[in-house]
Amino acid sequence: MAGFHVRSVLVTGSNRGIGLELIKHFIGKPNPPEVIFATCRDPEGAQAQELKKLASKHPNVMILQLEATDSASIKSAAKKAEARLGGTGLNLLINNAGVMLPSTLESATPEDMLSVYNTNIVGPLLVTQAFLPLLKKAAQGSNQKGMSCSKAAIVNISTVLGSIEKTPETFSFVPVVSYRCSKAALNMLTKCQSMGYKQDGILCTALHPGWVKTELGNFQPNVQADLTVDESVSGLMKVICDLSEKHHGILMSWEGNTLPW
Ligand code: NDP
């Protein structure tokens, strides 16, 4: 972790929950990134006020409008990011935006399946495609050996609920079929990205943040998630700092353990 320095990072879905906490933790690092792109769907909306306050106090935070299901919005964000980076690349892309809807084998509809799939898997695919030239630029411009988030990396925020092997442990109390299928697909996308971008020196890893007290995590009335956002993101930050080629193309927990696909 010593010497770890990300010059630029982008986090999707950063107006609340885990995304907002990631922005706060990057700002609070002893050597914070020079540019922190905090993307959200509606920068002027009520749900973005805390992020806007942060950005007004920290000139290294730039808010970008980004709707993960809209390629025009993603391309426009990538153009603005490129201009701000002024010829340098993007070190770290964190695909965090995600949704979970109640969904059982009986209740799932084509509409639910496709809308969750669109945000949780088509979104990270399109966002990565749009920012890939900037990630490649960061990798090419780096004199660091091996892979790391301070060189060039894609971190996909996934979940253990997308792990096929782990499904028997959790299915009965959290069925969420559409969410599980979308995150299993995100795990596959991470593996494909790790194969496709290896020669570019871009590290690709999927991370499970734990069960976290956010709007998404507190989906069951009267049942509290395990972790505060600060506990989860403190763990994720440590994992992110320590990522290297041995973590390329795998799924890991917020505590740094490898999870089965
Ligand atoms: P929240 O519901 O608190 O936040 C979700 C974020 O994603 C919001 O910023 C939301 O923006 C954004 N978002 C949703 N849809 C889109 C979209 N189409 N385009 C752009 N942004 C979008 O969730 P969490 O912080 O808990 O979740 C973050 C990630 O962590 C997700 O990928 C989730 O699957 C994963 N995760 C969470 C767990 C938990 O226990 N909380 C457990 C395992 C994984 P808006 O405000 O506009 O809706």
Side-chain angles (χ1 to χ4, degrees), residues 10-16 37-45 47-49 51-52 62-68 73 77 97:
L10 183 145
V11 183
T12 64
S14 63
N15 56 307
R16 59 190 172 92
F37 296 112
T39 85
C40 69
R41 299 199 259 201
D42 181 10
E44 299 311 319
Q47 295 257 44
Q49 291 312 306
L51 177 62
K52 277 184 85 174
M62 179 176 185
I63 300 178
L64 294 173
Q65 194 279 338
L66 189 152
E67 160 60 62
S73 152

Coordinates of all heavy atoms in Angstrom, one line a residue, residues 10-16 37-45 47-49 51-52 62-68 73 77 97:
L10 N -12.6 7.5 -11.5 CA -14.0 7.8 -11.8 C -14.9 6.7 -11.1 O -14.6 5.5 -11.2 CB -14.3 7.8 -13.3 CG -15.7 8.1 -13.8 CD1 -15.6 8.9 -15.1 CD2 -16.6 6.9 -13.9
V11 N -15.9 7.2 -10.5 CA -16.9 6.3 -9.8 C -18.3 6.6 -10.3 O -18.8 7.7 -10.3 CB -16.9 6.5 -8.2 CG1 -17.8 5.5 -7.6 CG2 -15.5 6.4 -7.7
T12 N -19.0 5.5 -10.8 CA -20.4 5.7 -11.3 C -21.3 5.6 -10.1 O -21.0 4.9 -9.1 CB -20.8 4.7 -12.4 OG1 -20.7 3.4 -11.9 CG2 -19.8 4.8 -13.6
G13 N -22.5 6.2 -10.2 CA -23.5 6.2 -9.1 C -22.9 6.7 -7.8 O -23.0 6.1 -6.7
S14 N -22.3 7.9 -7.8 CA -21.6 8.4 -6.7 C -22.3 9.4 -5.9 O -21.8 10.1 -5.1 CB -20.2 8.9 -7.1 OG -20.4 10.0 -7.9
N15 N -23.6 9.6 -6.1 CA -24.4 10.6 -5.3 C -24.9 10.0 -4.0 O -25.4 10.8 -3.2 CB -25.6 11.1 -6.2 CG -26.5 10.1 -6.7 OD1 -26.0 9.1 -7.3 ND2 -27.8 10.2 -6.4
R16 N -24.9 8.7 -3.8 CA -25.3 8.2 -2.5 C -24.7 6.8 -2.4 O -24.1 6.2 -3.3 CB -26.9 8.1 -2.5 CG -27.6 7.3 -3.5 CD -29.1 7.5 -3.5 NE -29.7 6.9 -4.6 CZ -30.2 5.7 -4.7 NH1 -30.1 4.9 -3.6 NH2 -30.8 5.2 -5.7
F37 N -13.6 12.0 -10.7 CA -14.8 12.1 -11.4 C -15.9 11.4 -10.6 O -15.9 10.2 -10.5 CB -14.7 11.6 -12.8 CG -13.7 12.3 -13.7 CD1 -12.5 11.7 -14.1 CD2 -13.9 13.6 -14.1 CE1 -11.6 12.3 -14.8 CE2 -13.0 14.3 -14.9 CZ -11.8 13.6 -15.2
A38 N -16.9 12.2 -10.2 CA -18.0 11.6 -9.4 C -19.2 11.7 -10.4 O -19.7 12.8 -10.6 CB -18.3 12.4 -8.2
T39 N -19.7 10.5 -10.9 CA -20.8 10.6 -11.8 C -22.1 10.3 -11.1 O -22.2 9.5 -10.2 CB -20.6 9.7 -13.0 OG1 -21.0 8.4 -12.7 CG2 -19.1 9.7 -13.5
C40 N -23.1 11.0 -11.6 CA -24.5 10.6 -11.1 C -25.5 11.0 -12.2 O -25.2 11.7 -13.2 CB -24.8 11.3 -9.8 SG -25.0 13.1 -9.9
R41 N -26.7 10.4 -12.1 CA -27.7 10.6 -13.2 C -28.2 12.0 -13.2 O -28.5 12.5 -14.2 CB -28.9 9.7 -12.9 CG -28.6 8.2 -12.9 CD -29.8 7.5 -13.1 NE -30.4 6.9 -11.9 CZ -31.2 5.9 -11.9 NH1 -31.6 5.4 -13.0 NH2 -31.7 5.5 -10.7
D42 N -28.4 12.6 -12.0 CA -29.1 13.9 -11.9 C -28.4 14.8 -11.0 O -28.7 14.9 -9.8 CB -30.5 13.6 -11.4 CG -31.3 14.9 -11.4 OD1 -30.9 15.9 -11.9 OD2 -32.5 14.9 -10.8
P43 N -27.3 15.4 -11.5 CA -26.5 16.3 -10.6 C -27.3 17.4 -9.9 O -26.9 17.9 -8.9 CB -25.4 16.8 -11.5 CG -25.4 15.9 -12.7 CD -26.8 15.4 -12.8
E44 N -28.4 17.8 -10.5 CA -29.2 18.9 -9.9 C -30.3 18.4 -9.0 O -31.0 19.2 -8.3 CB -29.9 19.8 -11.0 CG -28.9 20.4 -11.9 CD -27.7 21.2 -11.2 OE1 -28.0 21.8 -10.2 OE2 -26.6 21.0 -11.7
G45 N -30.4 17.1 -8.9 CA -31.5 16.5 -8.1 C -31.3 16.6 -6.6 O -30.2 16.8 -6.1
Q47 N -31.1 14.2 -4.5 CA -30.3 13.1 -4.0 C -28.8 13.4 -4.3 O -27.9 12.6 -4.0 CB -30.6 11.8 -4.8 CG -32.0 11.3 -4.4 CD -31.9 10.2 -3.4 OE1 -31.2 10.2 -2.4 NE2 -32.7 9.1 -3.7
A48 N -28.5 14.5 -5.0 CA -27.1 14.8 -5.3 C -26.6 16.0 -4.5 O -25.4 16.5 -4.7 CB -26.9 15.1 -6.8
Q49 N -27.3 16.5 -3.5 CA -26.9 17.7 -2.8 C -25.7 17.5 -2.0 O -24.8 18.4 -1.9 CB -28.1 18.2 -1.9 CG -29.3 18.7 -2.6 CD -28.9 19.7 -3.7 OE1 -28.2 20.7 -3.5 NE2 -29.3 19.5 -5.0
L51 N -23.2 15.4 -2.5 CA -22.1 15.3 -3.5 C -21.7 16.7 -4.0 O -20.6 17.1 -4.0 CB -22.5 14.4 -4.6 CG -21.4 14.3 -5.7 CD1 -20.1 13.7 -5.2 CD2 -22.0 13.4 -6.9
K52 N -22.8 17.5 -4.3 CA -22.5 18.9 -4.7 C -21.7 19.7 -3.7 O -20.8 20.5 -4.0 CB -23.8 19.6 -5.1 CG -24.3 19.2 -6.5 CD -25.5 20.0 -6.9 CE -25.2 21.3 -7.5 NZ -26.4 22.0 -8.0
M62 N -14.9 16.5 -9.7 CA -15.7 17.0 -10.8 C -16.9 16.1 -11.0 O -16.7 14.9 -11.2 CB -14.8 17.0 -12.1 CG -15.6 17.5 -13.3 SD -14.5 17.6 -14.8 CE -15.6 18.3 -15.9
I63 N -18.1 16.7 -10.9 CA -19.3 15.9 -11.1 C -19.6 15.8 -12.5 O -19.6 16.8 -13.3 CB -20.5 16.6 -10.3 CG1 -20.2 16.7 -8.8 CG2 -21.8 15.8 -10.5 CD1 -21.2 17.3 -8.0
L64 N -19.9 14.6 -13.0 CA -20.3 14.4 -14.4 C -21.6 13.8 -14.4 O -21.9 12.8 -13.7 CB -19.3 13.5 -15.1 CG -17.8 14.0 -15.3 CD1 -17.0 12.9 -15.9 CD2 -17.8 15.2 -16.2
Q65 N -22.5 14.3 -15.3 CA -23.8 13.6 -15.5 C -23.6 12.3 -16.2 O -22.9 12.3 -17.2 CB -24.8 14.5 -16.3 CG -26.2 14.1 -16.3 CD -26.6 13.0 -17.2 OE1 -25.9 12.7 -18.2 NE2 -27.6 12.2 -17.0
L66 N -24.1 11.2 -15.7 CA -23.9 9.9 -16.4 C -25.0 9.0 -16.0 O -25.2 8.6 -14.9 CB -22.5 9.2 -16.1 CG -22.1 8.0 -16.9 CD1 -20.6 7.9 -17.0 CD2 -22.7 6.7 -16.4
E67 N -25.8 8.6 -17.1 CA -26.9 7.6 -16.9 C -26.3 6.4 -17.6 O -26.0 6.3 -18.8 CB -28.2 8.2 -17.6 CG -29.2 7.1 -18.0 CD -29.8 6.3 -16.8 OE1 -30.4 6.9 -16.0 OE2 -29.6 5.1 -16.8
A68 N -26.2 5.3 -16.8 CA -25.5 4.1 -17.2 C -26.2 3.4 -18.3 O -25.6 2.5 -19.0 CB -25.2 3.2 -16.0
S73 N -25.2 9.8 -23.0 CA -24.8 10.4 -21.7 C -23.4 9.9 -21.3 O -22.5 10.7 -20.9 CB -25.8 10.1 -20.6 OG -25.3 10.0 -19.4
A77 N -20.0 12.2 -21.0 CA -19.2 12.3 -19.8 C -17.7 12.0 -20.1 O -16.8 12.6 -19.6 CB -19.7 11.2 -18.8
A97 N -22.5 1.9 -10.1 CA -23.9 2.1 -10.2 C -24.7 0.8 -10.3 O -24.2 -0.1 -11.1 CB -24.2 3.0 -11.3

